[in-house]
Amino acid sequence: QVQLVESGGGLVQAGGSLRLSCAASGPTLSSVAMAWFRQAPGKEREFVAAVSWTGGRSDYADSVKGRFTISRDNAKNTVYLQMSSLKPEDTAVYYCAADRIYLRVLGTNAGYWGQGTQVTVSS
């Protein structure tokens, strides 16, 4: 079992930056791939970015490439999402996901999910 807790959300002006954190814990935590998803009102939950356990592979949605960076600190069991050049379209609840199989964190069928953190970008 893996528990995920997101933090770092808030209100930011367009063009600004924000860093989200997701701390993982649990009795069965072991070599999990991690990812970020987001869901805006009236929209489907969408994939944002993912990173493998080793950090050797990462993937990004086209909408955030060049603006967002996913990274992890395994010593702290934490994954980060550094967001820059934020746009109003980035406004959403951001969710952290984890799974021991990398491909599973690329979709909404990931085994573990956090509670979400709100990111609001004003124009």
Side-chain angles (χ1 to χ4, degrees):
Q1 191 75 12
V2 178
Q3 291 80 48
L4 304 172
V5 180
E6 303 97 331
S7 62
L11 175 65
V12 64
Q13 291 189 140
S17 299
L18 203 62
R19 189 179 78 159
L20 305 183
S21 298
C22 174
S25 63
T28 60
L29 180 65
S30 179
S31 63
V32 292
M34 300 180 74
W36 289 96
F37 288 74
R38 66 187 183 186
Q39 187 167 24
K43 295 186 177 181
E44 299 292 327
R45 186 171 299 187
E46 67 172 334
F47 171 80
V48 175
V51 64
S52 64
W53 170 250
T54 64
R57 177 178 176 178
S58 61
D59 290 277
Y60 296 89
D62 289 340
S63 60
V64 306
K65 285 181 179 177
R67 299 189 299 120
F68 292 9
T69 301
I70 189 169
S71 62
R72 65 189 303 160
D73 183 344
N74 287 349
K76 297 180 179 179
N77 294 318
T78 300
V79 65
Y80 306 94
L81 185 68
Q82 179 65 51
M83 306 182 292
S84 61
S85 300
L86 283 163
K87 306 173 181 179
E89 308 93 89
D90 296 318
T91 295
V93 175
Y94 282 70
Y95 296 91
C96 180
D99 202 288
R100 293 184 175 84
I101 305 298
Y102 184 79
L103 288 177
R104 291 179 182 173
V105 303
L106 299 179
T108 56
N109 61 336
Y112 307 98
W113 293 87
Q115 81 289 348
T117 185
Q118 177 71 47
V119 172
T120 302
V121 184
S122 62
S123 61

